[in-house]
Amino acid sequence: MDLAETDNEAMQWAAITGVIATVSVFAIAQGLSYPLLSFILQRQGVSPAMIGLSAAMTPIGFIVSSPLIPALARRFGAGRTALTCAALSAIVLALIGWTQNVYLWFPLRFLIGVVTNPLYVLSEIWVIALAPPSRRGRVMGVYSTIISAGFAAGPLCLLAVGTEGWPPFLVGVAAFVFCGACLALVLPRLPRVDQAGHRVSVMGFMPMAWLLLSAVVVAAGFEQAVLALLPVYGTHYGITETRMSALLSVMIAGNIAMQVPLGLLAERLTARLVRFVCVSLTVLGCALLPLLIDTPLIWPSVFIWGAVSYGIYTMSIIELGERFTGSALVAGNAAFSLMWGVGGILVPPLTGGVMDVIGASGLPITLGAICLALAVTTVLRQRIV
């Protein structure tokens, strides 16, 4: 390898590092905002149902904005779009802090979903495009790990600054500003993903990779349903809130710790095969949950469960990068974001409804059935290897 190639590779890794740093700061800001706004509304005496509806505005913003991202990237450039979204995110979060009104927060939380989604989608596209094909698994594993750690770190910031007044909002605003600054530094080194290839829309992309998009719906729905309903499931067995919170923390730890090993495994095998294994192990976790929930074995089980359930998404992202480039990659990643929002909105209420009808067992049965359907469809529709 000559000196020019060495310099190019060093610049490529520097750009990857810069984009991952950008999106990690964004994740901290997002992770901070969700519990912060819930705490404020709770102090105002707002009902849990209204708090839940308020929180749903952000994923609805994701869904609405996703089809617009490819056109915005083509019209204004991916870099300019992402920088504008970082600035708008800071402004909208400041407006949320200024208004402190549950009804005004509905449109503002919708807007923050609209303006943060392109920043997230385009950053992910840059990481996929920059990652060397032979190392894409580990790069996307690191990316997924840092995103998860950033979301987990957001609530920890509230321990330092509290949940009252302007300080927590200023942390979030500063995070978005810093996010834009990091992005501006690496922008000249980023590929022009918005201009490569023929034009593909989000809706046009869906028939091209419907099984990948189905996997995203399953991964998103599973994560949101477990976070929302596993504590409810535990009460059926008389398990304390403290223990259930600890179980969820262990599950998130599995998610954070195991994405890089799964990415390395995808490099040795294939992302499609590892995704199938992740789906199968998630089904097994659903089947074992009622048997292990009140035993010491539940701790390693939920650790693995968290790793493989989120691994479904990580492997889907890796396969997206393997199969698509240019305009199709932009449209595909925007479609991933849309499907993540769809899964997060549809699966938790479905699972909760089944639990209302048949009891606590509705949680593992519903989630296990959804994951099993994905596994069976994978086998029937395409070769795994």
Side-chain angles (χ1 to χ4, degrees):
M1 183 181 292
D2 59 28
L3 185 60
E5 289 177 338
T6 302
D7 288 343
N8 286 336
E9 184 175 347
M11 290 178 65
Q12 183 180 25
W13 286 109
I16 291 173
T17 302
V19 175
I20 291 178
T22 297
V23 81
S24 66
V25 177
F26 159 76
I28 292 172
Q30 286 285 88
L32 174 146
S33 66
Y34 278 99
L36 170 63
L37 301 186
S38 294
F39 285 137
I40 292 172
L41 291 176
Q42 198 170 26
R43 283 200 301 266
Q44 293 177 355
V46 176
S47 70
M50 186 68 80
I51 293 173
L53 286 173
S54 177
M57 291 299 103
T58 299
I60 291 173
F62 291 166
I63 293 172
V64 170
S65 63
S66 291
L68 306 177
I69 295 172
L72 288 171
R74 285 194 301 268
R75 175 68 178 83
F76 302 105
R80 188 179 299 173
T81 300
L83 284 174
T84 302
C85 286
L88 290 174
S89 298
I91 292 170
V92 175
L93 186 59
L95 286 173
I96 290 174
W98 179 58
T99 54
Q100 298 280 316
N101 182 289
V102 62
Y103 298 107
L104 291 176
W105 279 7
F106 274 82
L108 288 173
R109 294 186 81 166
F110 171 80
L111 281 177
I112 206 163
V114 169
V115 298
T116 57
N117 192 37
L119 179 63
Y120 173 75
V121 168
L122 293 171
S123 296
E124 193 164 84
I125 291 167
W126 281 317
V127 175
I128 295 170
L130 285 165
S134 62
R135 300 181 182 180
R136 184 173 284 123
R138 71 193 74 182
V139 170
M140 297 314 299
V142 169
Y143 173 83
S144 294
T145 297
I146 291 177
I147 286 286
S148 299
F151 276 109
L156 295 178
C157 293
L158 297 179
L159 296 177
V161 298
T163 61
E164 297 186 7
W166 273 103
F169 288 99
L170 292 177
V171 170
V173 169
F176 281 124
V177 171
F178 185 70
C179 175
C182 289
L183 184 59
L185 288 174
V186 299
L187 205 55
R189 301 177 182 177
L190 300 180
R192 299 297 297 271
V193 294
D194 49 296
Q195 294 183 348
H198 65 286
R199 294 185 177 184
V200 180
S201 68
V202 170
M203 296 304 165
F205 176 84
M206 289 187 176
M208 299 165 61
W210 64 268
L211 191 57
L212 273 181
L213 295 173
S214 300
V216 174
V217 172
V218 170
F222 183 94
E223 179 182 82
Q224 297 301 315
V226 168
L227 289 175
L229 297 172
L230 189 62
V232 179
Y233 181 85
T235 60
H236 175 77
Y237 292 88
I239 299 174
T240 65
E241 291 182 4
T242 303
R243 180 180 169 89
M244 292 310 301
S245 297
L247 280 173
L248 283 175
S249 298
V250 170
M251 188 172 184
I252 294 168
N255 171 354
I256 294 171
M258 295 303 293
Q259 298 313 303
V260 173
L262 287 173
L264 290 169
L265 191 61
E267 292 176 8
R268 296 182 62 88
L269 304 173
T270 64
R272 188 177 299 173
L273 175 57
V274 177
R275 189 180 74 241
F276 177 76
V277 172
C278 286
V279 174
S280 301
L281 289 175
T282 303
V283 173
L284 179 61
C286 291
L288 293 176
L289 181 64
L291 303 176
L292 302 180
I293 186 66
D294 208 16
T295 74
L297 290 175
I298 192 62
W299 299 98
S301 296
V302 296
F303 182 88
I304 297 170
W305 213 29
V308 296
S309 61
Y310 194 76
I312 298 170
Y313 180 78
T314 301
M315 295 305 110
S316 298
I317 280 289
I318 294 170
E319 187 176 342
L320 179 72
E322 292 172 349
R323 291 173 53 185
F324 300 99
T325 58
S327 178
L329 179 61
V330 177
N333 210 277
F336 268 39
S337 179
L338 191 154
M339 290 296 105
W340 185 271
V342 168
I345 287 175
L346 293 183
V347 177
L350 171 65
T351 305
V354 175
M355 292 176 72
D356 284 343
V357 174
I358 67 173
S361 60
L363 176 70
I365 289 174
T366 305
L367 296 181
I370 292 171
C371 293
L372 182 61
L374 177 62
V376 171
T377 305
T378 301
V379 172
L380 293 178
R381 297 296 298 176
Q382 59 187 57
R383 292 177 58 192
I384 299 170
V385 182

